[in-house]
Amino acid sequence: MTINLRNLVTGFLAAALAVVTVHQSIVFGLDSAGIIKREAWSLEPMGPFQIPTILNSIFWGGLWGAVLALVYPKLPGTAAWLKGLLFGWLIYVFSNNLIVPLIKGKPLFFGGDFNQLLSVFLILSGFGIATAVIYNALRSRD
């Protein structure tokens, strides 16, 4: 398998754009509805390097976009939105509910907190769809 650097960068940029638009819009909607308590487009510093939250989300989202670029041709279906939805669900299950909680010592599947399960599911579904649609529109067909 040949890795196309242009497609990796395109995937990163597509996901960064998806975070700023769709991902954060869903966060805003869920916060406005009182389902979660999380400020969208937050500049609040986080982590050991005190990076603004939105920049942290853009960076990690961009990395997921590069991963999408690698697996995009292998995802089932022909429609970009469907590939993105499946990719978002894979991130949801394996990363956000299994791997990250194990690394951070937190409960798997948000300890069964329905609001957390639902909100992250909706956020990552929208993020996946937006990333794949943007990526498909911009990618190299080589």
Side-chain angles (χ1 to χ4, degrees), residues 10-27 41 54 57-58 61-62 64-65 68 84 87 122-135 138:
T10 301
F12 186 96
L13 294 174
L17 184 58
V19 166
V20 173
T21 56
V22 174
H23 180 284
Q24 290 299 292
S25 293
I26 295 170
V27 169
W41 302 286
I54 186 65
S57 295
I58 290 169
W64 279 115
L68 172 70
F87 186 70
L122 293 172
I123 292 165
L124 290 177
S125 294
F127 167 75
I129 292 169
T131 300
V133 168
I134 295 166
Y135 172 73
L138 302 177

Side-chain angles (χ1 to χ4, degrees), residues 5-139:
L5 182 59
R6 181 171 182 240
N7 280 344
L8 290 177
V9 171
T10 301
F12 186 96
L13 294 174
L17 184 58
V19 166
V20 173
T21 56
V22 174
H23 180 284
Q24 290 299 292
S25 293
I26 295 170
V27 169
F28 178 79
L30 293 170
D31 180 56
S32 296
I35 296 170
I36 61 172
K37 284 289 208 189
R38 197 163 122 197
E39 182 183 348
W41 302 286
S42 174
L43 296 175
E44 188 71 30
M46 67 171 294
F49 301 112
Q50 296 296 288
I51 305 287
T53 303
I54 186 65
L55 293 180
N56 182 67
S57 295
I58 290 169
F59 173 76
W60 288 107
L63 290 182
W64 279 115
V67 171
L68 172 70
L70 290 173
V71 301
Y72 188 85
K74 304 288 185 200
L75 289 169
T78 55
W81 70 267
L82 180 58
K83 288 177 179 266
L85 183 63
L86 293 172
F87 186 70
W89 289 349
L90 289 171
I91 296 171
Y92 173 75
V93 172
F94 292 105
S95 177
N96 286 63
N97 285 303
L98 295 173
I99 297 169
V100 171
L102 288 172
I103 291 170
K104 292 184 172 186
K106 303 226 176 181
L108 300 179
F109 294 92
F110 300 103
D113 179 336
F114 180 75
N115 281 350
Q116 278 293 103
L117 287 166
L118 175 63
S119 62
V120 174
F121 177 80
L122 293 172
I123 292 165
L124 290 177
S125 294
F127 167 75
I129 292 169
T131 300
V133 168
I134 295 166
Y135 172 73
N136 186 57
L138 302 177
R139 74 186 169 105

